[in-house]
Amino acid sequence: MAGRLWISLWFILTAPLMLWDAGFCLMRPRSMVGGDLHWIWAFYEFYGDVDHVYGVKAFEDGEGFANAAAVLNVIENIFGILYLTTTHLLPSPLAPLAGYTGSAMTLSKTLLYVSQEYFCGFCAIGHNSVAGMVGYWVVPNVAWITISGLIMYHLGKDIVRSLRVTSTRVTSGRVKCE
């Protein structure tokens, strides 16, 4: 597993960010400008202007996409933390499956988010300058998609290798439960 240190670092670095994001969405309106908890999420005053999914109008209109994505953020993090735990604290052969599952959720959610934006005619981000859109929306989403895909690729190879070893043990008559 030492060769997968970058995966652990990704989960360690992104978990607080994703939980902070989920907290902003799920604590609205208290997390928004004027709310008693806004100081924790002051950045979103700016980001709500970049991406209207996070903005006041979307909240007031009852749009649920941000909150639905926030719930998925929490579940993705559970799998990421499970990966870290079963890789570093309580080693288990289930570690790659936990990391793969969390990354598959992140990839799927991000692709859904990007697709939704495309199919609505860039309704939440189309008002930005090209530089603003690229810097604050495209680059972060490309990073989430790329790194999640790479994690899935590498952990998927580990899962397949494990299945082949198990299959070889079964077909050679040396069935061993682990």
Side-chain angles (χ1 to χ4, degrees), residues 10-29:
W10 175 255
F11 285 130
I12 289 167
L13 293 173
T14 59
L17 178 64
M18 292 171 70
L19 293 172
W20 181 62
D21 182 73
F24 171 78
C25 294
L26 297 173
M27 293 300 293
R28 293 183 299 175

Side-chain angles (χ1 to χ4, degrees), residues 27-109:
M27 293 300 293
R28 293 183 299 175
R30 295 181 66 194
S31 60
M32 301 177 94
V33 174
D36 62 321
L37 299 176
H38 174 67
W39 60 274
I40 300 170
W41 293 281
F43 169 77
Y44 283 93
E45 183 175 355
F46 163 76
Y47 198 72
D49 290 335
V50 172
D51 184 347
H52 290 167
V53 167
Y54 288 92
V56 173
K57 185 174 182 331
F59 174 74
E60 289 174 345
D61 290 349
E63 294 179 19
F65 188 83
N67 282 3
V71 170
L72 291 179
N73 278 351
V74 172
I75 297 168
E76 292 164 47
N77 271 286
I78 290 169
F79 282 107
I81 292 165
L82 183 60
Y83 172 81
L84 292 169
T85 302
T86 56
T87 297
H88 302 287
L89 300 176
L90 302 168
S92 168
L94 293 175
L97 184 59
Y100 185 95
T101 302
S103 292
M105 290 182 70
T106 300
L107 178 66
S108 299
K109 181 193 70 197

Side-chain angles (χ1 to χ4, degrees), residues 102-126:
S103 292
M105 290 182 70
T106 300
L107 178 66
S108 299
K109 181 193 70 197
T110 306
L111 289 173
L112 176 65
Y113 186 43
V114 170
S115 297
Q116 188 274 337
E117 192 61 27
Y118 172 78
F119 287 113
C120 75
F122 300 98
C123 57
I125 65 163

